[in-house]
Structures are given as structure tokens and as C-alpha cells.
Amino acid sequence: MSISLVLGGARRLGRAGWMAAIAAATAAAVMVSGCKPEGGSAASDTIPVGEFASLTGSEAAFGRSSHNGTAMAIDDINAAGGVLGKKLRLVTEDNQSKDGESQTAVKKLISLDKVVAVLGEVASGRSIEGAQTCQKYRVPQISPSSTNPKVTEQGDCIFRMCFIDPFQGTVMAKFAGGTLRARKVGMLVDVGAPYSVGLATFFKERFLADGGAVVAEQKFTKDDKDFKAQLTAIKAAGPEAVFVPAYYGQVTLIVMQARELGITVPFIGGDGWEAPELLKGPGAAQALEGCFFSTHYSPDQDIPKSREFVAKYLAKHGDRPDAMAALGYDSAQFLADAIRRAGSAEPGKIRDALAATKEFDGVAGKMTLDAARNARKAAVILAIKDGRFAYKETVNP
Ligand code: PHE
């Protein structure tokens, strides 16, 4: 039984494991000090920063990229002397891409590791879970890349580094009606994911307002692997494009099965498509050729701060950074900047400094923070071309 059991690197404990670890470490601290554990005793010369991420499981590509960016920022901040004379210490928890794990993870970070702020998540549903806990304890949370409006609606301690889905939905509705000249679209929505449901709603609103028609609206859930029934119905409705606001793992299956059924029109989606895994596996890249999705960042964009970041990231990870990595990086820099401006690492003061932010200039570009703690920021459209993600255009808000 030791505190080091739960400090440091990312842990893969289930809910029961976390609970046991929290209880064990609390007991150990009581025994050592003879009093109630208070304050970050592990290292008071460091500032503990929490992160929860999907490092394993169905959206592991999200968690890995986001974590790589976040960790790189923490290293850069510390190499430049840290914040308020202290180094930042990142404590990461893996929620295994499972619904229902993020509250426990965040509770552990706050009550056991005494983190001053929490970074995460990528998927909106899990950011919402974490936000409920952060708001309850009034510890600021910054989601790097969750786009559903409900994330920051959890309360005044919750922030994000990215645009929200009413904007992203509009971007893709305009793209479908404009660039693709589609008048009729089909949609396939993951009804269990707030991200998917929200983005579908905002896309549809705009597409209809622009005079288009949604000719088929089909549903699925997280563990589905066979989409033939839904795709058959979509095919029968004769759409000129199909919008699939889902996460990469299922998108690949959906588009491959669509091609098998003879659906040849472009499939389009949002940031949830972005992962190298989208194009992996036999036939995947071929099925997705000529498809498009919106996201937050491309290493091909001409952003001054991005150049050095891309080179460093490539050298360290052997791959260029994607949107999650860039926004993960910016989320940690945004936090460090707020701690500096607050002149204190007290969660309430950090919250106020974050809320007072007007503009932030990051590796993923400039953003303006609005009163609802959401970022106003440009979107990027990527094409799948020659088996890779190709930068197509930037869309300003
Ligand atoms: N925006 C997605 C969500 O809210 C997550 C995501 C962000 C996925 C960036 C990929 C890239 O669920």
C-alpha cells in the first residue's frame, strides 16, 4: 500500500480499483501524518495538473494524440522554468474510452492528487461526465477538443479550447450544399453519443434552412458493427452525400459497407473522423477516397506557432501532430498562462484568470474566448485524397 501506487503515470484501474486506491492512499496518508491529509504533500515544489483521457479502448487514438500534445506542452513549460517558480506535474488517468469512468477518474485527480485544474477530454460525452465533477468541486476544467455545447454548460468552471458544434455543423452543411452541390443528403447518427446527436441536429438545421432536404435519417449505437440495414434504407432514398457525425472506428466500417452495397456518393463527417486508424485495414483508404470532414487544425496550415511544434512533434513521435495533439498542447499552455496571470495556483483564482481571457494565440491558431467559455476559432476541412488526409480549406467563424 503506497501513495506512489496512484501517483505519476496513467493508470488503468477500473472503478473498483480507483475506489480502493483512493481509500488506500488516504489511509496511508493518515497513518504517516497522524492527521487528515490536506494539500498536495507528494511534492509541494510542483503544481499538480490532472488529465483524463481515452488512452485505451475504442477511441484510444483520441486519447493518445491529445495526451502527446498535452505532455509536450508540460515539458516545454517546465524546460522554460515552469510557472510561478514551480514545475507542473501532469497526473494522467485513463478512462478506457468507457462511459461512466470519467467521473471516478476526475474525482480521484481532485481528491487524491489535489490537482489545481483538469485537462480533458476529447469525446464530448466523457468531457460532460468529468465536468460534472469539476464543477461540483469548483476545480477548473479545460477540454481541448470537445465540441458539444453541453460541455461548458455544466458550469462556470468549465472551459474549452475549440469551437462548438453549431459552428461545425454549419461548416459541413454549407460544404455539402456548396462545394458538393448536394440538395439531398442522408444521415447516420450514433444516438448514444451527445457529440453525434448534437452535430447531426446542427447540420440538419442549417442544411434545411439553405433549402436542402434530409432524405434519410438512420441510427446506430456504439457497439454496432453491421450497418447494412441502415445503409440499405439510405441508398433507397437516393442522397447525393451522406453525413456521418461519428467516431473513426465505426466510420470506417460504415463507409466500407456502403461501398459494398453500391453507394458511391461522398460520405462527410466532423472532427470525430480524425485518426490514422480511419484509413487503416484492407480497403479502408479506398472506400474513403473522395470523402471529407471538418476538424480544428492541419499541420499544413500556415500558422506561425505551428511550425516549430510540428517539427518537434514529428521528431518525438515519428508522426505529424493532428487536431487532438495541437489542441492538447494549447490547453496546457492556456492553463499555464492563466496560472501566471492569476499569480496563484489556487483553483478559484485560476478559474477567474481563465474566464478573463480574451484571446489566446496557440499552435492551432488564434482563438477568442466568449462569455460562455467557448472558443471562437476557425475550422479546417480535410479531404481524403490518395489515401491520406489532405488540407482543403480553412473556414472562419
Ligand atoms: N469534437 C469531438 C467530440 O466532441 C471530439 C474530437 C475532437 C474528435 C477533435 C477528433 C478531433 O466528441
Side-chain angles (χ1 to χ4, degrees), residues 62 121-125 145-148 151 160 162 165 168 195-196 247 270-275 295-296 323-324 327:
F62 289 170
E121 228 252 25
V122 176
S124 288
S145 48
S146 287
T147 46
N148 187 278
V151 174
R160 78 177 104 213
C162 57
D165 285 333
Q168 181 166 216
Y195 163 72
S196 191
Y247 296 139
D271 52 354
W273 281 33
E274 193 175 0
T295 188
H296 308 260
M324 287 82 72
L327 290 171

